[in-house]
Amino acid sequence: MNRKEKNKGEEQNEKVDRLLVKSVVKAFRILEVFDAEHPAMSVKQLAERCDMDRSAAQRFIHTLMQLGYLQRNEETQLIEPSVRTLDFAAHYLHAHPLVDKVRPYLLNLSKETEGSVSLTILDGQDVVYLSRLVSRNMLDTDITIGSRLPAFCTAPGLAMLSQLEEQEAVAALEHSERKPYTPNTVHELPAILERLTQFKHQGYALSIEEYFLSDISIAVPVLDRHNRPQAAISVSMSRASSMPEEMERNLSHLLIATARQLSRL
């Protein structure tokens, strides 16, 4: 779904929701269009990407600058997010029931495995990273806190999807842009569903070079009291330092035991 289609869908939802404050929606739309490819933009560019007229965009940008969430780059004169936008993420991480509690467990896994360890949650068709400890032996994959990856081809995503009812998992997968990120990406729906059945039975998911080449990841879901996936913990290693069979054999039981401890929290 492209940005214009997304905005059109949002506008249709606005028409049927009388409690929705449209000006708030538009303000957040401006904050959300910044990304790695568009870290800073002119007023004209922001208006075009948000599908607004320039006058309206100017007012929203001015308001967000006054509130401290946007700023003007002194060298380029382009508009960019300010450091204050990180406050939203900080508030969420401090409020999440697992983020602080999981850190000692991630540290232990990091020492035991010498791999990169992560805590992720499922958000629609994506996994979002809430905590991550990077191994010195791991290739830099630019994954940081807040990074999103597709659930259908990543070990944490597959681990959490495997614990959902099939109808719910299918709905998430059908909304995913299932494409081959590498030659090893499993992206056909029937094949993914078959894997989910296997992963649910064995209690962990394994992904071998499906999103990043040379990356092997194993993940286990952390379940809530209703046996729904609350999060996932995962370990990633470079294929140069570990073979998939060895990693699966050595780490699956350790991860399952850790996830069970976290589930009790």
Side-chain angles (χ1 to χ4, degrees):
M1 180 184 294
N2 62 39
R3 190 169 299 280
K4 284 190 175 180
E5 289 173 338
K6 180 181 178 183
N7 289 347
K8 185 176 180 181
E10 290 173 351
E11 288 168 2
Q12 289 174 342
N13 290 335
E14 291 171 25
K15 291 177 182 178
V16 298
D17 190 345
R18 295 182 179 180
L19 294 178
L20 200 68
V21 182
K22 296 180 182 179
S23 58
V24 176
V25 174
K26 291 177 179 179
F28 272 93
R29 189 177 296 166
I30 286 175
L31 292 174
E32 290 171 352
V33 296
F34 294 95
D35 55 28
E37 295 179 2
H38 304 87
M41 286 174 275
S42 66
V43 173
K44 180 182 178 182
Q45 289 172 317
L46 280 164
E48 290 174 350
R49 282 179 59 79
C50 295
D51 198 23
M52 295 182 191
D53 63 71
R54 182 165 180 162
S55 176
Q58 179 71 67
R59 292 195 300 272
F60 283 109
I61 292 166
H62 175 76
T63 302
L64 289 167
M65 290 179 71
Q66 291 298 109
L67 292 172
Y69 293 108
L70 292 179
Q71 63 188 18
R72 190 179 296 277
N73 186 297
E74 293 183 2
E75 294 183 5
T76 65
Q77 293 300 301
L78 296 176
I79 309 299
E80 61 188 15
S82 74
V83 70
R84 190 171 184 181
T85 56
L86 290 175
D87 289 350
F88 293 117
H91 297 327
Y92 176 82
L93 292 173
H94 288 310
H96 196 282
L98 271 181
V99 172
D100 285 337
K101 294 176 182 178
V102 79
R103 188 164 182 80
Y105 296 90
L106 295 185
L107 284 168
N108 183 61
L109 283 173
S110 179
K111 292 176 183 177
E112 290 280 339
T113 66
E114 295 188 353
S116 294
V117 296
S118 305
L119 173 74
T120 54
I121 59 169
L122 188 64
D123 184 28
Q125 60 267 30
D126 297 329
V127 291
V128 183
Y129 284 75
L130 300 188
S131 187
R132 182 165 170 83
L133 299 176
V134 181
S135 166
R136 65 179 183 275
N137 302 319
M138 188 68 182
L139 294 173
D140 182 13
T141 54
D142 292 330
I143 296 177
T144 59
I145 293 174
S147 291
R148 286 177 174 267
L149 295 182
F152 81 92
C153 62
T154 53
L158 291 165
M160 289 183 279
L161 287 172
S162 73
Q163 298 300 315
L164 298 177
E165 295 293 332
E166 183 175 342
Q167 186 176 0
E168 190 176 356
V170 168
L173 291 168
E174 287 180 339
H175 283 85
S176 302
E177 186 183 359
R178 300 188 311 277
K179 63 181 182 180
Y181 291 94
T182 75
N184 300 312
T185 306
V186 179
H187 61 282
E188 297 293 341
L189 185 57
I192 298 171
L193 292 175
E194 186 176 338
R195 298 178 82 196
L196 294 183
T197 300
Q198 175 192 346
F199 294 154
K200 182 174 183 178
H201 176 73
Q202 66 190 25
Y204 62 89
L206 185 68
S207 176
I208 304 170
E209 297 185 289
E210 291 191 62
Y211 191 80
F212 296 111
L213 288 174
S214 246
D215 174 79
I216 310 171
S217 298
I218 184 170
V220 175
V222 178
L223 304 178
D224 64 16
R225 58 195 177 110
H226 303 294
N227 286 323
R228 286 185 57 81
Q230 184 180 13
I233 52 172
S234 60
V235 177
S236 298
M237 290 185 176
S238 168
R239 189 156 192 168
S241 61
S242 180
M243 294 303 293
E245 299 81 5
E246 177 188 3
M247 185 176 175
E248 187 174 6
R249 182 176 61 252
N250 294 338
L251 300 186
S252 58
H253 294 298
L254 177 61
L255 273 172
I256 289 171
T258 303
R260 284 176 178 169
Q261 288 179 296
L262 290 170
S263 295
R264 297 190 188 103
L265 297 178

